[in-house]
mmCIF file of all heavy atoms in Angstrom:
data_model
loop_
_atom_site.group_PDB
_atom_site.id
_atom_site.type_symbol
_atom_site.label_atom_id
_atom_site.label_comp_id
_atom_site.label_asym_id
_atom_site.label_seq_id
_atom_site.Cartn_x
_atom_site.Cartn_y
_atom_site.Cartn_z
ATOM 1 N N PRO X 204 55.980 17.108 5.642
ATOM 2 C CA PRO X 204 57.171 17.378 6.450
ATOM 3 C C PRO X 204 57.544 16.179 7.327
ATOM 4 O O PRO X 204 56.687 15.367 7.709
ATOM 5 C CB PRO X 204 56.766 18.574 7.308
ATOM 6 C CG PRO X 204 55.555 19.152 6.638
ATOM 7 C CD PRO X 204 54.869 18.000 5.981
ATOM 8 N N SER X 205 58.814 16.092 7.654
ATOM 9 C CA SER X 205 59.296 14.960 8.454
ATOM 10 C C SER X 205 58.898 15.054 9.916
ATOM 11 O O SER X 205 58.906 14.051 10.628
ATOM 12 C CB SER X 205 60.823 14.865 8.345
ATOM 13 O OG SER X 205 61.433 16.067 8.819
ATOM 14 N N ASN X 206 58.539 16.263 10.394
ATOM 15 C CA ASN X 206 58.155 16.409 11.805
ATOM 16 C C ASN X 206 56.648 16.390 12.001
ATOM 17 O O ASN X 206 56.145 16.845 13.023
ATOM 18 C CB ASN X 206 58.743 17.700 12.373
ATOM 19 C CG ASN X 206 58.184 18.946 11.688
ATOM 20 O OD1 ASN X 206 57.635 18.869 10.594
ATOM 21 N ND2 ASN X 206 58.359 20.095 12.329
ATOM 22 N N LEU X 207 55.911 15.880 11.021
ATOM 23 C CA LEU X 207 54.455 15.740 11.125
ATOM 24 C C LEU X 207 54.133 14.303 11.511
ATOM 25 O O LEU X 207 54.549 13.356 10.834
ATOM 26 C CB LEU X 207 53.790 16.120 9.793
ATOM 27 C CG LEU X 207 52.270 16.164 9.758
ATOM 28 C CD1 LEU X 207 51.796 17.216 8.749
ATOM 29 C CD2 LEU X 207 51.662 14.821 9.385
ATOM 30 N N PHE X 208 53.387 14.129 12.605
ATOM 31 C CA PHE X 208 53.095 12.800 13.132
ATOM 32 C C PHE X 208 51.592 12.622 13.325
ATOM 33 O O PHE X 208 50.883 13.556 13.721
ATOM 34 C CB PHE X 208 53.800 12.581 14.477
ATOM 35 C CG PHE X 208 55.296 12.530 14.375
ATOM 36 C CD1 PHE X 208 56.056 13.692 14.468
ATOM 37 C CD2 PHE X 208 55.961 11.331 14.171
ATOM 38 C CE1 PHE X 208 57.432 13.655 14.368
ATOM 39 C CE2 PHE X 208 57.339 11.285 14.071
ATOM 40 C CZ PHE X 208 58.077 12.451 14.174
ATOM 41 N N VAL X 209 51.125 11.415 13.050
ATOM 42 C CA VAL X 209 49.736 11.022 13.279
ATOM 43 C C VAL X 209 49.753 9.778 14.150
ATOM 44 O O VAL X 209 50.509 8.840 13.886
ATOM 45 C CB VAL X 209 48.992 10.731 11.956
ATOM 46 C CG1 VAL X 209 47.548 10.323 12.231
ATOM 47 C CG2 VAL X 209 49.027 11.949 11.052
ATOM 48 N N ARG X 210 48.918 9.770 15.183
ATOM 49 C CA ARG X 210 48.893 8.620 16.089
ATOM 50 C C ARG X 210 48.537 7.348 15.325
ATOM 51 O O ARG X 210 47.582 7.320 14.553
ATOM 52 C CB ARG X 210 47.878 8.834 17.209
ATOM 53 C CG ARG X 210 48.236 9.954 18.166
ATOM 54 C CD ARG X 210 47.312 9.945 19.372
ATOM 55 N NE ARG X 210 47.495 11.126 20.208
ATOM 56 C CZ ARG X 210 48.447 11.251 21.128
ATOM 57 N NH1 ARG X 210 49.298 10.265 21.314
ATOM 58 N NH2 ARG X 210 48.535 12.356 21.847
ATOM 59 N N GLY X 211 49.304 6.284 15.577
ATOM 60 C CA GLY X 211 49.031 4.999 14.954
ATOM 61 C C GLY X 211 49.658 4.814 13.593
ATOM 62 O O GLY X 211 49.482 3.756 12.987
ATOM 63 N N PHE X 212 50.393 5.811 13.089
ATOM 64 C CA PHE X 212 51.016 5.714 11.771
ATOM 65 C C PHE X 212 52.492 6.081 11.889
ATOM 66 O O PHE X 212 52.879 6.895 12.729
ATOM 67 C CB PHE X 212 50.330 6.636 10.760
ATOM 68 C CG PHE X 212 48.935 6.234 10.399
ATOM 69 C CD1 PHE X 212 47.861 6.588 11.206
ATOM 70 C CD2 PHE X 212 48.690 5.485 9.265
ATOM 71 C CE1 PHE X 212 46.576 6.215 10.886
ATOM 72 C CE2 PHE X 212 47.410 5.106 8.927
ATOM 73 C CZ PHE X 212 46.352 5.469 9.740
ATOM 74 N N THR X 213 53.277 5.472 11.035
ATOM 75 C CA THR X 213 54.700 5.757 11.006
ATOM 76 C C THR X 213 55.020 6.682 9.841
ATOM 77 O O THR X 213 54.202 6.874 8.930
ATOM 78 C CB THR X 213 55.519 4.455 10.869
ATOM 79 O OG1 THR X 213 55.230 3.847 9.587
ATOM 80 C CG2 THR X 213 55.156 3.474 11.982
ATOM 81 N N GLN X 214 56.207 7.219 9.847
ATOM 82 C CA GLN X 214 56.634 8.088 8.764
ATOM 83 C C GLN X 214 56.821 7.331 7.458
ATOM 84 O O GLN X 214 56.881 7.937 6.388
ATOM 85 C CB GLN X 214 57.941 8.792 9.138
ATOM 86 C CG GLN X 214 57.779 9.873 10.210
ATOM 87 C CD GLN X 214 56.921 11.032 9.712
ATOM 88 O OE1 GLN X 214 55.712 11.036 9.872
ATOM 89 N NE2 GLN X 214 57.555 12.009 9.107
ATOM 90 N N ASP X 215 56.910 6.003 7.541
ATOM 91 C CA ASP X 215 57.061 5.201 6.332
ATOM 92 C C ASP X 215 55.752 5.002 5.582
ATOM 93 O O ASP X 215 55.752 4.494 4.458
ATOM 94 C CB ASP X 215 57.662 3.824 6.683
ATOM 95 C CG ASP X 215 59.059 3.946 7.278
ATOM 96 O OD1 ASP X 215 59.733 4.943 6.968
ATOM 97 O OD2 ASP X 215 59.451 3.053 8.051
ATOM 98 N N SER X 216 54.616 5.348 6.189
ATOM 99 C CA SER X 216 53.321 5.170 5.526
ATOM 100 C C SER X 216 53.263 6.045 4.279
ATOM 101 O O SER X 216 53.631 7.223 4.320
ATOM 102 C CB SER X 216 52.181 5.550 6.469
ATOM 103 O OG SER X 216 52.226 4.775 7.654
#
Side-chain angles (χ1 to χ4, degrees):
S205 60
N206 64 341
L207 186 149
F208 293 89
V209 180
R210 293 190 189 277
F212 292 83
T213 65
Q214 288 295 91
D215 297 334
S216 302

